[in-house]
Structure formats: structure tokens, C-alpha cells
Amino acid sequence: MSLSEQIMADMKEAMKARDKVRLNTVRMIKSALMNEKIKAGHELSSDEELTVLNREKKQREESIEEFTKAARTDLADETKKELAIVEGYMPKQLSEDELEQIVVNTIAEVDAKGKSDFGKVMKALMPKIKGKADGKAASSAVRNHLN
């Protein structure tokens, strides 16, 4: 089942269950995917869909951070629920050990020697972990191994 089909099915299910948070979140995801499809001018590939999901996830994480700073726990809690729904559509995240192993392999693959090769390692690493690991965690792991 494609992501679009899954979203449509989940939207119908949320309507029947009268789950407003889930329905609104799924609608936002559907809207973001549709906007990206129109912008691209073609059906989205799974990588493009993943990029849209990552953008939605990041927006919610930033919102939670801002709401927490402003002491708006009500909005932060609501956004955390939305974030959980968005994460449900994303591929399984890599564990720290799996990420470390991919970083070590990539460093060996590009024959990186030191800090100056950071960009080269990241360029080779990011396509491998796209949607499966956080970019901040990946860059931190690369820095640790290149030091």
C-alpha cells in the first residue's frame, strides 16, 4: 500500500472514530503531499514523500520546543500527539549502534582521514540514512569518529 493510499484509509478511519487530532494531522500530511506533488508536477517518489514527512516532523519538533519555552504545555501536548502520528508514517528509525556502524562503514568507504573530510563523509552518509536517522545524530557520530 502506497503512502497516499495509507493516508486516505487512515483519514476515513479517523473520521469514523471521530478522532479530531488524528484526522487533522492526517489532513495536514495529505495537504503537504498534494502541494509537493503540484509543485513537482508529477507523482511523488517514495524518497520525495519521505522528504515531505521529514519536513512535517521537523516542523512539529520545532513547535514543541517553542511551546515549551513559552510555557504553553497545552499546545506542546497537542503537538506531541501530532508528532507521534507523523512518525507513524515514517520508516523504522535506526538504533544508535546501527547508525554508528553505518558511519564507520561510510568513513572507510570514502577513505576519510580527519575533520577536513567531514563534508565528504556526510554527503555519502545522508542518502543511506535518509528518513531513518536524525541528521544531528549522524553529524555528531561522524564528528566523534573523525576526531
Side-chain angles (χ1 to χ4, degrees), residues 12-23:
K12 288 176 188 174
E13 188 179 300
M15 281 182 203
K16 289 177 184 175
R18 301 190 192 279
D19 185 348
K20 286 186 178 184
V21 175
R22 183 169 200 77
L23 180 60

Side-chain angles (χ1 to χ4, degrees), residues 52-66:
V52 172
L53 286 175
N54 275 326
R55 189 178 323 129
E56 292 294 310
K57 178 183 175 199
K58 188 171 183 175
Q59 285 175 352
R60 281 162 180 80
E61 288 171 343
E62 290 171 353
S63 294
I64 291 169
E65 192 176 310
E66 292 300 316

Side-chain angles (χ1 to χ4, degrees), residues 107-124:
I107 289 172
E109 197 177 286
V110 298
D111 196 32
K113 302 290 186 217
K115 290 180 186 178
S116 60
D117 294 325
F118 177 81
K120 186 166 55 170
V121 173
M122 289 302 290
K123 185 176 180 182

Side-chain angles (χ1 to χ4, degrees), residues 47-141:
D47 276 349
E48 291 169 320
E49 290 175 339
L50 191 57
T51 301
V52 172
L53 286 175
N54 275 326
R55 189 178 323 129
E56 292 294 310
K57 178 183 175 199
K58 188 171 183 175
Q59 285 175 352
R60 281 162 180 80
E61 288 171 343
E62 290 171 353
S63 294
I64 291 169
E65 192 176 310
E66 292 300 316
F67 291 146
T68 305
K69 283 182 187 175
R72 292 295 309 263
T73 55
D74 56 329
L75 295 174
D77 292 342
E78 189 79 16
T79 309
K80 285 177 187 175
K81 292 175 188 173
E82 290 178 10
L83 178 61
I85 293 166
V86 171
E87 287 175 338
Y89 292 107
M90 300 188 73
K92 180 181 168 287
Q93 297 293 296
L94 295 172
S95 69
E96 282 187 41
D97 294 336
E98 292 169 323
L99 179 61
E100 289 288 330
Q101 188 59 47
I102 293 172
V103 167
V104 168
N105 292 344
T106 305
I107 289 172
E109 197 177 286
V110 298
D111 196 32
K113 302 290 186 217
K115 290 180 186 178
S116 60
D117 294 325
F118 177 81
K120 186 166 55 170
V121 173
M122 289 302 290
K123 185 176 180 182
L125 177 67
M126 289 312 287
K128 294 178 184 178
I129 64 167
K130 185 175 184 177
K132 298 178 192 166
D134 182 44
K136 290 178 186 175
S139 67
S140 174

